[in-house]
Amino acid sequence: MARIKPQALLQQSKKKKGPARISVTTIILYSLIVVVTVFFLYATYRHWSQRSRTQIENRQSVFKGDTDNSFVDSKKSDLPGYAILDTAKGSITVELFKDNFPEVVDQFLDLCHRGHFNGMLFRHVIKHYVIQAGDSDKLEAAEDWTLKGKHYSQLDTSLKHEAFMLGTSKKKRDNGAFELFITTAPIPDLNEKLIVFGKVVKGEDIVQEIEEVDTDEHYRPKSSIAIRSVTLKQSV
């Protein structure tokens, strides 16, 4: 068996122990993989972080909305739902439509608390139409209903309302004036004239009794009839 020279053994040993060479392409490839992995992890973190934040904000918004709605509903429920008009002929109980026209009802309630309607006269009585209480002798919203020869058949019946509805004029009430109208018959064009914010639920006979009083040519009662006071109640 031939002997290997020491120089040859030394060369073979160096070849075995020498580190393998890594190409530039491999380095670039691994670098790209690392960058893509880091970017993917960062994007995933951002996505779930944003999603969690959105869910928290949505929950807070829903909670706040529920709280606000509960506060509004609670406030509405605390408002009186009925008004009792005490007149010289007797009492008229009216249910207030708090949800339909809250601003008008709020103004009406405020005026009741201030005693605005105490002593207010029924200024006009138009048979088979309306009785009107207010501070002015002008017919205002009821003027058209006094025209001779005007019949239900000539009016737009699509806006027909029942009798014994409580309303006020649509004109601006900046000066504190607030007229009260109680219908005594279905009026087809009522929506064009009034804001209806209540309905008589007791005392219809009192309304009809006021309707039957004698009036002059201007539909003014010959004997004074007034609202003596208004009592507000949650229920009746």
Side-chain angles (χ1 to χ4, degrees), residues 26-224:
T26 303
I27 295 173
I28 295 174
L29 179 61
Y30 277 108
S31 299
L32 287 176
I33 292 173
V34 171
V35 170
V36 170
T37 303
V38 171
F39 177 79
F40 175 76
L41 292 174
Y42 177 73
T44 303
Y45 167 77
R46 284 290 302 275
H47 169 74
W48 288 106
S49 177
Q50 184 67 29
R51 182 175 178 179
S52 300
R53 189 181 300 111
T54 302
Q55 290 176 344
I56 292 172
E57 290 175 354
N58 288 340
R59 290 195 196 100
Q60 292 175 343
S61 177
V62 170
F63 177 76
K64 184 177 183 299
D66 292 342
T67 302
D68 292 343
N69 290 336
S70 298
F71 176 77
V72 172
D73 293 340
S74 175
K75 186 178 179 181
K76 283 184 179 180
S77 63
D78 291 340
L79 293 175
Y82 296 85
I84 301 175
L85 312 181
D86 179 32
T87 75
K89 297 289 186 180
S91 296
I92 303 170
T93 302
V94 179
E95 179 183 3
L96 303 175
F97 300 156
K98 296 184 288 185
D99 294 330
N100 293 10
F101 294 98
E103 293 182 2
V104 176
V105 172
D106 285 346
Q107 185 178 6
F108 172 75
L109 295 175
D110 179 62
L111 291 173
C112 288
H113 287 302
R114 288 156 51 186
H116 177 79
F117 301 105
N118 297 351
M120 179 177 284
L121 295 174
F122 284 95
R123 299 286 182 175
H124 300 95
V125 173
I126 307 173
K127 287 180 173 59
H128 308 301
Y129 276 97
V130 70
I131 59 176
Q132 173 200 13
D135 297 319
S136 173
D137 280 333
K138 295 181 180 180
L139 282 169
E140 299 290 350
E143 186 172 5
D144 290 345
W145 298 334
T146 65
L147 298 177
K148 294 180 180 180
K150 190 171 186 180
H151 303 289
Y152 296 129
S153 59
Q154 296 175 301
L155 300 173
D156 180 10
T157 56
S158 64
L159 297 175
K160 188 174 181 179
H161 268 283
E162 299 175 6
F164 305 111
M165 307 301 290
L166 174 68
T168 188
S169 173
K170 285 187 174 182
K171 70 176 184 178
K172 290 185 178 181
R173 294 175 292 279
D174 298 334
N175 58 354
F178 196 105
E179 298 174 297
L180 296 179
F181 295 82
I182 300 177
T183 62
T184 60
I187 300 180
D189 60 346
L190 186 60
N191 277 341
E192 298 176 7
K193 302 293 182 184
L194 306 177
I195 298 174
V196 177
F197 67 95
K199 180 180 181 180
V200 176
V201 293
K202 186 178 180 181
E204 294 92 337
D205 56 327
I206 304 301
V207 175
Q208 291 173 330
E209 191 173 343
I210 296 174
E211 181 189 25
E212 293 301 322
V213 300
D214 290 334
T215 61
D216 61 18
E217 65 274 14
H218 299 293
Y219 303 95
R220 292 177 298 199
K222 291 182 179 180
S223 57
S224 298

